Amino acid sequence: VQLQASGGGLVQAGGSLRLSCTASGNIFSIRTMSWYRQAPGKQRDLVAAVTSGGSTNYADSVKGRFAISRDNAKNTVYLQMNSLKPEDTAVYYCYALITTDSAQYFGKNYWGIGTLVTVSS
């Protein structure tokens, strides 16, 4: 199983970016899909998550500005980031909890490589 993220880049403060992450490989089901971010010198933190049923949750710092969604048919999760701020600058990582056969109950954690988002002031 692999997670391939795309969509990072350089944007001015107040601008928007859309990240995408697609899971591929031997997938039976995908449960939670999430985005995390890690700024230089800081720990990796949850940005947003979406369950297979569509329930979402967000870090307080991005509520009202970011929106997470997923396309189950495409095994893809998106992160629409609006009103970006310099403090949003970080490497963004895609995460998914995936089962690879019907016998698995809990699933396994998978991470993408990460995509850099830089917001200039």
Side-chain angles (χ1 to χ4, degrees):
V1 175
Q2 291 185 329
L3 298 182
Q4 181 66 49
S6 62
L10 173 64
V11 64
Q12 289 188 332
S16 298
L17 281 175
R18 189 192 195 206
L19 305 182
S20 300
C21 176
T22 298
S24 61
N26 181 30
I27 297 170
F28 178 74
S29 68
I30 303 178
R31 298 182 178 176
T32 299
M33 299 188 83
S34 308
W35 289 95
Y36 286 73
R37 67 185 181 188
Q38 186 168 19
K42 296 189 176 181
Q43 66 181 22
R44 188 177 300 187
D45 292 324
L46 177 67
V47 176
V50 57
T51 67
S52 57
S55 297
T56 59
N57 68 284
Y58 296 90
D60 288 342
S61 59
V62 306
K63 284 181 180 177
R65 299 188 298 122
F66 290 11
I68 190 170
S69 61
R70 63 190 280 177
D71 184 333
N72 292 328
K74 296 181 179 179
N75 292 339
T76 298
V77 62
Y78 305 96
L79 186 67
Q80 178 66 44
M81 305 185 292
N82 300 325
S83 302
L84 282 160
K85 304 175 181 179
E87 50 264 44
D88 294 318
T89 295
V91 176
Y92 284 70
Y93 295 91
C94 174
Y95 162 87
L97 181 62
I98 295 173
T99 62
T100 55
D101 62 65
S102 60
Q104 287 186 345
Y105 180 78
F106 294 106
K108 294 182 180 180
N109 301 319
Y110 293 91
W111 292 90
I113 293 177
T115 184
L116 177 62
V117 172
T118 304
V119 184
S120 62
S121 57

